[in-house]
Amino acid sequence: MDALSEISSVDVVSENPYKAILYPKSPQSERPNQNLSVTDEQQKPDDEPTRMEESEEVVDVELAPPPLVIPSEAPPSVLVLELSSTEEVVIRCVGKDYSAAQEHMEDAMKEFYSTNASPVKMSSLKVGQLVAAKAEEEAWLRAQILSIEENKMKILYVDHGFHDVVDGSKVCRLSKPFYTLPFQATKCRLAGLEAFCTDPVLVKAVELKACDKILAVEILQKTEKPLVILYDTSGDDDVNINATCLRELYDNSLSEQLKVNASYTNVIVTNVCSDGTLFCQIPSKGLTKLSKTLQKIEAEFNSKTVTSDLFVSLPFCGKRCLFHSKGKWARVEITSVHSSRALDVQFLDSGTIASVKVSELREIPSLFLRDIISIPPQAIRCCLADLPLNIGMWTPDAVLWLRNTVLNCSECSMKVVKIDDVKSMVYVYLFTSRASLDPERSINRRITNEELWKQKNVLPITASHLSKGRGEPGTPTAVSQKDQSNIIKRHAIEQVTAGSSLDLPPPLPLPRSGEHIDVFVSVACHPGHFVFQPWQELHKLEVLMEEMLLHYSTTEEKQTDLEKNKLYAAKVDTKWYRVLLKGILTNGLVSVYELDCGRHELVNSRQVQPLIDKFRQLPFQAITSQLAGVKCDQWSEEAAIVFRNHVENKPLVALIQEIHESPNPWDRKVVTYIVDTSLPDTDIWIHELMSEYLVELSKSA
C-alpha cells in the first residue's frame, strides 16, 4: 500500500482480512476532495488560448475529477436530492470541502463563462464527455453527456444529481480548473429497505421525510454505492429515517383500533418498565396472523439445515430480525449495537428490551418477509390513568408490586381513558379480573398504597460526576495502577501451585477507592456476595470465548490429569469458560468456578481441558464484591431475591470503597456502592433501597 500511495488514494474497507479500494490520483490534487481555487490570472481571457492549445482529447478524456471521499467526521451530513428507489438515492455531502467548495466553484464558473462562453460543435461532442452547461438564472454547472440527438443532448448535472435536455448552444467545453473538485452528487442505498426498494408507498415515504433535507448519515458498507442509514437530527430525538419509512408498510387493519371509554378483556401485560409504563397485548387479527406466521417460520427452520444466509451478518439500528426466546421465535428490532458481537434489541410484540448476541439473531426468511413487516407491533404502550398527583416518581417497590400483580395474569382487562397520539401513549384503568370494571377495584386505585410510594433519600449521580476521578492513560493515577498490578502479578506467580507450567493472567486493574466504574453484575447471591464484570471489557471477553469455542471444538479431546486449584477450560452447556477446579467427585463430575462470570458449576470431567497460554492473557473478569453502606449478619431469602431482582444481569455503576487484594485474582474482594442510573430523572442507590427494605422488614416482624 505504501508503494501504491504515490499514484493512488487508498480507501481501507476492512483490516482483517485487509481489503482496500484504490483510486487513481489526479495530478491536480493530492487531496481527494480539494477546494477549487480559480485565480484572477486564470480567469483572464488572454490565458484561454494557452489552455486551449492542449488537444481536446487531453482535456476531455485524460482529465477526470478525483473520486468523492465521504467526510471523516462522524456522522457526516448530506443533502438528499432525489430517488427513484431506495437503492438509488442521490445525495450530496454538506461541509466546507463539499457544498461550500461547490458553491465557490459554481461562482467561479459563472464569472468565467460570462466572458469565455464558446459553444462547441455538436459533431465534436460524445457521450460520457464532461461539459459546462448553462442553467437557469445565468448559472453554469458541470454536466456529463448521456445522449446526443441532432442539436440537443441529454445531460446529467454531476453535482446536483438530476437530468435535463438542453440545446447544444448552451454547452461549452469544461475548462481545466473545474476538474479539480470531485463530483458532488453520489448515490447510496438505504439499509433494511432492500426487499421493498421500488414499493411506491415506501419510495413516497422516503421522499416526504428525506428529500431536500440535510440529514446525518451512518455508513454501513463502503462500496461504490454505499449502504447507509439516514437520521433526522433536527428534533429533540434523532429519527432513524430508514426504520420510520419501513413502518409505512404496516397493514393497519391488523392492529386493534382502540377507542376512548371502550373496555377490553383478555389483555396480556407483557412488560412493566421502571417508570411505570406498561406494554399490553389485546386480541386482534394482527396477533392471530403473527402467531400463525411465526409458526410457519419455525417449521421452515426445523425442516431445513441452517445456512449462513439466515444469520445476521450486518447488524444495524432499526433492522428487523428474529430471536428465539422462551421456546419460540419472536420479532425484534435492533436498537443499539455495542460491538460486532453484542447489541440491544426491542421485542416488537412485548415491548421488552434485552441485550443479546448477534449470533443468536436470524434473518427473516424472504418467503415471510412481507407478512412479518406488514404486521404492526402488537405491544400497546400504556400507563395507569388518574394516579394522584402527589405520587410523583415511581419507586422500585411500586414497580415491583405492579410487576408481581399484572405480569402473566391471564384475566386482565382494561378501560381506555385517553389516547395521546403524539406520545404514543394510551391511558388506561387496569384490572386483574374480567368480573368487574369498577374503577375503585382497579390497579390504579390499589397501587396508591402509601407504603409503596415512600421516596428514598437518593443522591443523584450525573454523567459528569461519574467521569470524575477515572484515571486516564498517561496520568499519574493510571501509572500507579499499572505499577500496583505488576507487583500483584509477581506475588501471584510466586504463589501459584507447584507444577503449573503456565503463568496467571495479569490482575484486572480496578479504580481507586472513591472512583467509579461501569459494571455488569453477572451473579447476585445477596448484598454480602455478588460478582461484577467491568462493562468496558465485556467485548474482549466475548472475543475470547468465541476463540475458545472455536479452538476446543476443533481440537482433539485430551485425557487430562485433573488437580484441585488448577486452571482449566471447561465446557458448560454449549460454551467454554476459564475455570478454577475446586473439587473432584467420585461420580465423574468435577466442581469448577467460572473465573470470568463468578458462577460455580458441576461438569463432567471429560468436558475439562487444559487452558492453553493463548487464553491466559486476558485478566479474569469476575470480581467478587460486597455492597457498601448496609450491614446484616445474615440475609434472608426474601432480601436476597429483592437484591437479585434489582442488580443481577444489569449494567450498573460501582463506586469503589475498599479493595482487599490477594495473590490469586479470584480471591480479591471489593466493597462497593452500586448505583442504577437507567432512569432519566434519578439514580437508585442500591444500599439505600436495601436499608429501607430491612427497616420495613423489622417493622413487620
Side-chain angles (χ1 to χ4, degrees):
M1 292 301 104
D2 290 336
L4 292 171
S5 64
E6 293 182 4
I7 60 170
S8 62
S9 300
V10 180
D11 184 9
V12 178
V13 177
S14 68
E15 294 289 346
N16 187 18
Y18 190 93
K19 294 181 180 179
I21 300 173
L22 303 183
Y23 297 101
K25 276 190 177 179
S26 162
Q28 282 74 33
S29 174
E30 289 297 322
R31 284 200 300 162
N33 207 42
Q34 183 180 18
N35 277 328
L36 178 71
S37 178
V38 182
T39 64
D40 292 337
E41 186 177 2
Q42 287 175 318
Q43 294 177 36
K44 292 179 181 179
D46 294 343
D47 287 345
E48 184 62 22
T50 305
R51 288 197 299 274
M52 298 306 294
E53 286 173 5
E54 302 176 60
S55 72
E56 294 180 355
E57 285 296 313
V58 170
V59 174
D60 295 335
V61 179
E62 290 189 5
L63 284 182
L68 179 70
V69 175
I70 300 298
S72 57
E73 68 265 14
S77 296
V78 299
L79 174 65
V80 180
L81 301 172
E82 63 175 12
L83 73 151
S84 56
S85 78
T86 62
E87 294 287 282
E88 298 279 334
V89 180
V90 182
I91 59 174
R92 198 172 73 204
C93 293
V94 175
K96 176 184 175 183
D97 292 340
Y98 299 87
S99 55
Q102 178 187 334
E103 291 177 10
H104 178 69
M105 178 193 69
E106 290 176 354
D107 288 343
M109 288 180 67
K110 183 177 181 179
E111 184 175 351
F112 177 82
Y113 286 105
S114 65
T115 56
N116 292 276
S118 301
V120 294
K121 295 179 181 179
M122 293 290 290
S123 58
S124 66
L125 298 175
K126 53 190 175 183
V127 173
Q129 183 174 334
L130 295 181
V131 294
K134 189 176 182 180
E136 296 178 355
E137 299 179 357
E138 301 301 317
W140 286 85
L141 307 177
R142 297 190 300 180
Q144 186 173 36
I145 299 174
L146 300 180
S147 62
I148 301 174
E149 293 184 9
E150 297 180 354
N151 64 333
K152 292 187 179 293
M153 65 187 76
K154 184 178 181 180
I155 59 174
L156 168 67
Y157 290 104
V158 294
D159 300 309
H160 296 267
F162 65 92
H163 303 83
D164 197 7
V165 176
V166 299
D167 190 270
S169 61
K170 293 187 176 182
V171 171
C172 294
R173 209 168 288 283
L174 187 64
S175 188
K176 214 174 186 182
F178 306 123
Y179 279 84
T180 58
L181 187 71
F183 297 154
Q184 295 300 291
T186 187
K187 291 183 179 180
C188 66
R189 300 171 290 138
L190 300 188
L193 309 181
E194 297 89 341
F196 315 103
C197 62
T198 58
D199 188 295
V201 173
L202 183 64
V203 172
K204 185 65 175 177
V206 177
E207 285 181 346
L208 291 175
K209 298 181 186 299
C211 282
D212 299 323
K213 293 182 180 179
I214 295 177
L215 305 173
V217 60
E218 178 186 357
I219 303 173
L220 302 177
Q221 288 181 340
K222 287 186 176 181
T223 55
E224 182 179 354
K225 196 186 295 180
L227 185 67
V228 307
I229 304 174
L230 298 176
Y231 290 93
D232 186 346
T233 59
S234 60
D236 294 335
D237 299 317
D238 294 348
V239 177
N240 184 323
I241 297 294
N242 301 37
T244 301
C245 292
L246 188 64
R247 298 185 189 114
E248 296 295 324
L249 298 179
Y250 287 164
D251 181 352
N252 291 321
S253 68
L254 297 177
S255 61
E256 186 68 24
Q257 303 301 315
L258 299 179
K259 297 180 180 179
V260 175
N261 295 325
S263 300
Y264 301 88
T265 58
N266 298 317
V267 175
I268 298 176
V269 180
T270 57
N271 186 29
V272 178
C273 303
S274 58
D275 63 353
T277 302
L278 306 118
F279 285 88
C280 304
Q281 287 182 350
I282 298 177
S284 66
K285 290 193 300 181
L287 200 57
T288 302
K289 182 176 181 179
L290 175 65
S291 178
K292 291 180 179 178
T293 305
L294 290 175
Q295 289 175 7
K296 292 178 182 178
I297 289 175
E298 181 149 15
E300 175 85 3
F301 284 163
N302 293 337
S303 64
K304 295 182 179 180
T305 304
V306 178
T307 54
S308 59
D309 61 315
L310 287 177
F311 288 90
V312 174
S313 59
L314 183 63
F316 54 86
C317 290
K319 181 177 176 62
R320 302 285 180 90
C321 40
L322 301 173
F323 179 78
H324 202 257
S325 173
K326 299 179 181 179
K328 58 184 180 180
W329 291 99
R331 301 190 300 172
V332 297
E333 180 178 303
I334 297 174
T335 57
S336 178
V337 179
H338 299 301
S339 69
S340 60
R341 296 173 175 83
L343 43 74
D344 291 343
V345 298
Q346 180 169 30
F347 288 77
L348 293 175
D349 306 300
S350 70
T352 307
I353 294 177
S355 297
V356 302
K357 296 179 181 177
V358 176
S359 59
E360 296 173 321
L361 299 177
R362 296 293 181 271
E363 294 283 3
I364 302 169
S366 57
L367 182 63
F368 305 100
L369 184 58
R370 171 67 74 167
D371 285 343
I372 287 293
I373 295 298
S374 67
I375 301 174
Q378 296 300 298
I380 302 171
R381 188 166 173 258
C382 308
C383 70
L384 300 180
D386 299 333
L387 293 180
L389 294 177
N390 60 351
I391 279 181
M393 189 178 303
W394 280 74
T395 64
D397 288 340
V399 174
L400 184 61
W401 182 89
L402 184 59
R403 286 174 177 167
N404 292 337
T405 305
V406 302
L407 284 180
N408 302 316
C409 176
S410 59
E411 297 187 350
C412 281
S413 303
M414 74 180 194
K415 181 178 180 180
V416 177
V417 176
K418 175 185 174 183
I419 300 175
D420 190 333
D421 292 325
V422 175
K423 296 181 179 179
S424 299
M425 182 70 75
V426 179
Y427 295 81
V428 302
Y429 274 92
L430 190 64
F431 306 87
T432 53
S433 171
R434 287 176 286 183
S436 173
L437 297 182
D438 181 4
E440 295 304 318
R441 302 181 64 179
S442 67
I443 294 294
N444 307 49
R445 295 290 184 264
R446 292 163 59 190
I447 202 171
T448 56
N449 185 326
E450 289 184 5
E451 294 299 317
L452 295 175
W453 296 95
K454 284 186 176 180
Q455 293 292 339
K456 308 298 188 279
N457 185 19
V458 177
L459 177 65
I461 276 189
T462 64
S464 60
H465 291 150
L466 296 181
S467 64
K468 291 179 181 178
R470 293 184 179 180
E472 300 293 335
T475 65
T477 300
V479 173
S480 62
Q481 288 177 354
K482 181 178 180 182
D483 294 340
Q484 183 184 22
S485 298
N486 290 334
I487 294 171
I488 296 170
K489 181 181 178 183
R490 286 198 297 272
H491 283 290
I493 294 174
E494 290 169 3
Q495 297 192 22
V496 75
T497 307
S500 174
S501 59
L502 298 175
D503 290 342
L504 290 171
L508 186 69
L510 291 172
R512 291 177 172 182
S513 176
E515 295 182 347
H516 299 87
I517 180 175
D518 295 327
V519 300
F520 181 83
V521 177
S522 56
V523 174
C525 297
H526 52 74
H529 180 89
F530 62 96
V531 178
F532 71 71
Q533 302 163 309
W535 179 263
Q536 297 297 334
E537 300 293 314
L538 285 181
H539 69 287
K540 296 181 182 178
L541 181 59
E542 288 284 346
V543 172
L544 173 71
M545 293 183 66
E546 287 186 2
E547 291 176 347
M548 290 179 67
L549 178 64
L550 181 62
H551 172 81
Y552 290 109
S553 299
T554 57
T555 302
E556 185 178 351
E557 184 179 301
K558 297 179 181 178
Q559 185 65 37
T560 307
D561 294 328
L562 303 179
E563 298 181 43
K564 288 176 61 176
N565 298 321
K566 289 288 190 69
L567 304 182
Y568 297 94
K571 187 177 183 181
V572 181
D573 295 329
T574 59
K575 300 177 182 178
W576 286 86
Y577 295 85
R578 301 186 297 179
V579 301
L580 178 70
L581 197 144
K582 302 292 288 184
I584 303 174
L585 309 184
T586 56
N587 59 357
L589 298 179
V590 294
S591 172
V592 297
Y593 175 71
E594 295 174 359
L595 294 160
D596 296 304
C597 303
R599 292 189 295 264
H600 292 268
E601 301 281 359
L602 285 177
V603 299
N604 192 301
S605 59
R606 296 182 59 185
Q607 302 296 319
V608 179
Q609 293 293 304
L611 185 66
I612 63 174
D613 187 52
K614 175 183 178 181
F615 302 136
R616 296 184 181 230
Q617 306 307 309
L618 183 70
F620 296 134
Q621 299 295 296
I623 300 296
T624 304
S625 308
Q626 174 185 333
L627 185 63
V630 61
K631 291 184 179 181
C632 183
D633 294 333
Q634 185 172 356
W635 292 95
S636 67
E637 182 59 28
E638 285 182 335
I641 291 174
V642 171
F643 178 73
R644 191 176 305 127
N645 288 340
H646 280 89
V647 304
E648 193 167 63
N649 294 325
K650 291 185 178 180
L652 303 167
V653 176
L655 172 59
I656 305 297
Q657 290 302 294
E658 301 176 33
I659 301 176
H660 301 286
E661 295 290 0
S662 174
N664 293 319
W666 51 86
D667 290 328
R668 300 168 83 191
K669 188 171 184 178
V670 168
V671 180
T672 181
Y673 292 100
I674 294 292
V675 191
D676 184 348
T677 61
S678 61
L679 295 179
D681 299 318
T682 189
D683 299 313
I684 301 173
W685 291 73
I686 303 300
H687 75 286
E688 294 275 4
L689 186 148
M690 296 308 301
S691 296
E692 292 286 342
Y693 178 82
L694 291 178
V695 171
E696 295 300 322
L697 197 63
S698 64
K699 289 181 180 179
S700 61

